[in-house]
Amino acid sequence: MSATSRHAYRAASVAERPRVWVSQPLFDDIVSRLHAYFDVVQAPDVREHDEAAIAAALREVDGALVTLNERIGEREIANAPKLRAVANVGVGYDNLDVGALQSRGIVATNTPDVLTETTADFGFALMMAAARRVTESERHLRGGKWTGWNFKGLLGADLHRSTLGILGMGRIGQGIAKRASGFDMQVLYHNRSRLPADVEGAYKASYVDFDTLLARADHLVLVLPYSPQTHHIVDAAALAKMKPTATLTNIARGGIVDEAALAEALGSGRLAAAALDVFEGEPAVDPRLLALDNIVLTPHIASGSLSTRRAMVTLAVDNLIAALGAGPDAGRPPTPIVPVTQGGDAGKRAGAA
Ligand code: DGY
């Protein structure tokens, strides 16, 4: 091969190298695996990418590694002719219009399983914090209000031997049920579809309808997918059906709960306490919630242990490499989002925190 043709060959292979967009800095040592196959365009910092910025980023790339901060739908992909894969770093994918992506032949993937246990741990921690008034007590102490041991001060509710209600009995819901057995809790659940008897048996969980779940739970945890069908499924009417002594914990998506109705129920004593890790207008939090003492508020960190966040990025990188036809699993991304029209458990996975 002459020097000129060698140069031409190199230029052609460089031009053919697929290009991917990484929407925010993740873990460099993991994301750097992309460099073996692709040219990587990396956003320099964590920022809110608006529709125009996302559309501009997607215009020139074959694939994208994104987080729940990036909403990707028809408008964002309208001028992205080369786009073939979007790998979401997260199990919930309500930030993606999967139908729009799939109708363009773009593969969408998410990161189930790797965050199940960590997220279930945190759901349990939040439920316990709400029931036992952990953060409220800390504020009390730090605020200099603790004047001495008080027999009747800051009394909470027990978890052990109480009734746990789980709305959304997918992987994370089952993880919470598993933990509940160590607390001798009675586990009730409601789900789009009832689980097989052996799975119910394994978690000692009983299926009930939604209204019964609301009425009987001492502690209700939300772990269901967010969709137009589940928007504000916990509204004023639902809250009115709960016990006034109950707690509500949301680790799924903020839009599942009508936050104004929740603030009203907590403020009026209609509901004892709540814990929210997710919010409808993240990162904004309704000031009516911020003003309350009987609520634990955390900034969407349920999957946020170091090892789990690393595992999520690893899986998303594997997905992107494979979805773009490279690497050992070329063409077979480990966790594609199953098109809803083909059945599968996509709906069950969507939105679970
Ligand atoms: C998810 O994975 O859906 C979480 O909400 C973000 O970690």
Side-chain angles (χ1 to χ4, degrees), residues 146-163:
W146 189 33
T147 50
W149 190 72
N150 180 349
F151 193 75
K152 285 169 129 183
L154 292 160
L155 301 181
D158 281 324
L159 249 58
H160 69 269
R161 292 200 285 273
S162 66
T163 299

Side-chain angles (χ1 to χ4, degrees), residues 13 57 64 111 123 194 196 216 224 241 246 257 279-280 284 290-291 312 318-319 331 339 344 351:
S13 41
T111 60
R194 187 170 176 172
R216 289 187 48 199
L224 72 167
K241 292 178 184 149
V257 175
F279 304 88
E280 192 161 5
L290 289 169
M312 290 165 69
D318 289 345
N319 273 322

Side-chain angles (χ1 to χ4, degrees), residues 20-40:
V20 298
W21 178 53
V22 179
S23 68
Q24 63 168 279
L26 296 162
F27 295 103
D28 287 347
D29 59 319
I30 304 172
V31 172
S32 66
R33 286 202 287 121
L34 294 171
H35 291 284
Y37 309 99
F38 315 122
D39 287 340
V40 179

Side-chain angles (χ1 to χ4, degrees), residues 1-13:
M1 206 190 276
S2 71
T4 323
S5 58
R6 231 185 353 255
H7 177 76
Y9 171 76
R10 212 177 298 129
S13 41

Side-chain angles (χ1 to χ4, degrees), residues 322-344:
L324 289 175
D329 295 320
R332 286 176 290 113
T335 52
I337 296 172
V338 181
V340 175
T341 49
Q342 287 174 20

Side-chain angles (χ1 to χ4, degrees), residues 68 90-92 115 252-253 300 303 309 312 352-353:
L68 56 86
V91 65
L115 47 64
R253 286 292 183 265
H300 203 148
S303 66
R309 287 280 162 90
M312 290 165 69

